[in-house]
Amino acid sequence: MNTPDTDAAPDFTPADFTPAERARGRALRRSQLPWALGGRLAGLALPLALGLTPAGAALVTATGRWFGGSRTAEVLAGGAALVLLGQALQLPFGAGARAVRARYGLVTQGWTGWAMDAVRSLALTLLLVLPLVLGLFALTAWSPRHWWFPAAGAAALLTAALSFLHPLLIEPVFNRFSPMPEGELRTALLALAERDAVRVRDVLVADASRRTTALNAYVSGFGATRRIVAYDTLLSAAEPREVELVVAHELGHVKHRDVPVGTALGAVGAAVAVAALGLLADWHPLLSAAGADDAADPRALPLLAALAALIGALSGPVQCAVSRRIEARADRHALELTGDPEQFMAMQRRLAVVNVSDVDPPRVLELLFATHPSATRRIAAARAWRAERERSAGTSPSAGGAAAGPRATPGESVV
């Protein structure tokens, strides 16, 4: 059986969502869109403005002078300045999107907590970026033209390392995790993983409710560090069987090795991106526009940042398309593991309503930005799976499929 094409036109059934639910999701999307698009455009415009004009070179020189004017000072101070400016520029857009989500009841965190998260994010970014730029310019000093050969390999290794370390070092910075209490649900989730032949170390509960009302769960880690993580909001809002369906979807990612495969692809992509940076940064017209002599010149740092931002923006829609296919495959895995399409559809309805998702967004936005199929596409795929199974069993499809399963109660699905 092939994975349903969830990018095809959905088999939309009005009974899946009420007019009010669909209108509420559309209204939230329209209210958030200016902030989301504005943040993306600003996040691209700033590095381009600094990297393709002498302004970035002047920034590196000026900030480096504050710390002694050495080459190392210019690299570190210039890197920090770029990070700080980028984060500061994103703050109003993030605050605007947060205010919109708060109006729809999706935010439980106060502004102080939000500001502290921004500080944590800034600190983590600086801890990662500053050693990277220092190492990068050590390589450019070694060879202004061929630095990208070893840098590409280092980028691949770093991508793999961060994927492994993320659940151990990054996730605990923003959330607290506690073991799920012994009981029927924990037993059912562990049994589900065992039936799927997926080794899971533990089942944890994340304290997501101190930030949001949105529902989610995921499986993170590799090997001995792998654990099922459920938002406490999911446990309080969804039926136990719906939680099982969410976890079955996440187990699909493990079963199909989406994390290691994605990590490998990400490592290759990082290496290719660094190679592209090396070739572009050796192009004299770009160096001249940036006010730098060559890639070893610290004044080339804003140019490298601009090129990296441009490569990231251009590759975004391709990454989203791959992600939607992976998520569709995980949906199918959940259906095959549980054999419960009705409850799967009920789960998708609940996630969409509680998360105030736009269940059928404009096609262009879906193609450009969506990492998951829309709720209507996922429900349609489940309905198609059920019909396919009934045909293979020699029975007729059930009537009234759109109304099957319990009616959702009021959640943005990132599952």
Side-chain angles (χ1 to χ4, degrees):
M1 296 182 181
N2 296 323
T3 302
D5 183 5
T6 53
D7 271 348
D11 177 19
F12 180 72
T13 303
D16 288 334
F17 299 96
T18 68
E21 290 165 349
R22 297 198 299 274
R24 183 171 167 79
R26 283 196 302 269
L28 174 58
R29 185 254 303 163
R30 289 168 178 166
S31 297
Q32 284 191 119
L33 189 60
W35 297 108
L37 287 181
R40 285 174 179 264
L41 292 174
L44 180 60
L46 177 64
L48 290 178
L50 292 175
L52 300 180
T53 71
L59 176 69
V60 170
T61 301
T63 54
R65 191 178 298 121
W66 297 343
F67 297 92
S70 68
R71 184 175 187 275
T72 298
E74 288 187 341
V75 169
L76 291 177
L82 291 175
V83 170
L84 289 168
L85 285 174
Q87 295 272 20
L89 183 63
Q90 290 299 316
L91 282 177
F93 297 100
R98 180 199 177 279
V100 170
R101 294 180 65 78
R103 292 203 301 269
Y104 283 78
L106 291 171
V107 175
T108 59
Q109 183 184 45
W111 283 105
T112 300
W114 178 82
M116 289 304 300
D117 279 349
V119 171
R120 292 188 187 99
S121 177
L122 174 61
L124 285 172
T125 303
L126 288 172
L127 284 173
L128 177 63
V129 168
L130 295 186
L132 285 180
V133 296
L134 195 60
L136 174 65
F137 276 88
L139 290 175
T140 61
W142 164 73
S143 176
R145 299 198 64 183
H146 301 112
W147 60 269
W148 55 270
F149 281 104
L157 291 175
L158 180 64
T159 299
L162 288 176
S163 180
F164 179 80
L165 293 174
H166 188 273
L168 301 177
L169 301 181
I170 306 301
E171 289 178 8
V173 174
F174 295 96
N175 285 103
R176 291 187 292 270
F177 301 87
S178 59
M180 180 179 287
E182 296 290 341
E184 292 183 4
L185 180 57
R186 177 185 171 87
T187 300
L189 296 181
L190 290 174
L192 191 67
E194 184 177 1
R195 189 164 75 247
D196 208 18
V198 174
R199 182 185 176 188
V200 172
R201 179 182 180 182
D202 204 354
V203 182
L204 304 180
V205 179
D207 61 341
S209 59
R210 65 193 181 99
R211 288 189 179 87
T212 182
T213 61
L215 312 182
N216 195 19
Y218 57 93
V219 177
S220 69
F222 294 91
T225 68
R226 185 178 296 131
R227 66 267 183 94
I228 297 170
V229 180
Y231 279 17
D232 55 357
T233 51
L234 178 68
L235 301 182
S236 63
E239 298 294 333
R241 184 58 174 166
E242 294 172 350
V243 176
E244 290 183 48
L245 266 294
V246 173
V247 171
H249 167 97
E250 298 303 325
L251 290 173
H253 289 308
V254 179
K255 195 71 173 180
H256 292 286
R257 304 183 63 80
D258 290 337
V259 173
V261 170
T263 298
L265 291 175
V268 172
V272 171
V274 169
L277 284 180
L279 296 174
L280 290 171
D282 195 38
W283 192 32
H284 182 72
L286 285 178
L287 288 167
S288 178
D293 295 330
D294 55 29
D297 187 343
R299 293 175 297 176
L301 178 57
L303 172 62
L304 294 174
L307 295 174
L310 188 59
I311 291 172
L314 293 176
S315 64
V318 176
Q319 295 179 42
C320 287
V322 172
S323 177
R324 289 194 299 272
R325 296 292 295 181
I326 290 172
E327 296 299 333
R329 183 174 64 184
D331 281 351
R332 187 173 190 93
H333 180 86
L335 290 165
E336 292 172 346
L337 179 61
T338 63
D340 195 347
E342 285 74 22
Q343 203 66 42
F344 178 91
M345 290 187 280
M347 176 266 289
Q348 290 295 337
R349 285 192 288 265
R350 185 183 298 276
L351 289 172
V353 173
V354 176
N355 294 337
V356 196
S357 300
D358 185 357
V359 299
D360 194 19
R363 187 65 173 143
V364 65
L365 294 180
E366 198 170 14
L367 291 174
L368 289 175
F369 305 122
T371 58
H372 291 62
S374 67
T376 53
R377 294 179 189 279
R378 301 176 86 169
I379 291 173
R383 194 171 285 126
W385 181 89
R386 181 182 61 188
E388 181 181 352
R389 187 180 67 166
E390 290 173 339
R391 283 195 301 271
S392 65
T395 60
S396 60
S398 303
R407 185 68 186 137
T409 60
E412 167 188 82
S413 176
V414 293
V415 177

